[in-house]
Amino acid sequence: VMMFLRMQTQWTTTMAGYMGLRYDVLVCPGGMFDLYNVENRREMLEDLQIMEATALSELAKDKDG
């Protein structure tokens, strides 16, 4: 959850709304995985994708309101 919160400013957006998180910020050399010494990157990425999908679903509900 903490990594998801750290990624809160890394959403890709378009005129249509939120598209998803910018994973390049996580995995690039010196990126957040390196900065926070993430050992199991695959597990962290999978967990982030679950949270991202849930957030996108909730944001879509707000948009359709």
Side-chain angles (χ1 to χ4, degrees), residues 11-23 52 56 59:
W11 286 92
T12 299
T13 59
T14 67
M15 295 294 281
Y18 291 94
M19 299 302 293
L21 291 172
R22 294 183 52 224
Y23 295 116
E52 174 190 36
L56 287 170
L59 290 165

Side-chain angles (χ1 to χ4, degrees), residues 1-7 44 47-48 51:
V1 172
M2 291 305 298
M3 187 63 75
F4 183 75
L5 294 175
R6 290 178 182 126
M7 291 289 293
M44 177 71 72
D47 290 346
L48 285 169
M51 289 181 266

Side-chain angles (χ1 to χ4, degrees), residues 1-43:
V1 172
M2 291 305 298
M3 187 63 75
F4 183 75
L5 294 175
R6 290 178 182 126
M7 291 289 293
Q8 67 184 329
T9 61
Q10 300 302 320
W11 286 92
T12 299
T13 59
T14 67
M15 295 294 281
Y18 291 94
M19 299 302 293
L21 291 172
R22 294 183 52 224
Y23 295 116
D24 57 312
V25 173
L26 293 168
V27 299
C28 70
M32 296 192 64
F33 280 171
D34 288 344
L35 181 64
Y36 292 100
N37 298 314
V38 175
E39 291 183 21
N40 192 336
R41 293 174 179 218
R42 173 178 276 172
E43 182 179 347

Side-chain angles (χ1 to χ4, degrees), residues 49-64:
Q49 289 173 325
I50 291 168
M51 289 181 266
E52 174 190 36
T54 302
L56 287 170
S57 177
E58 290 299 313
L59 290 165
K61 287 180 189 176
D62 289 345
K63 183 180 172 186
D64 295 336

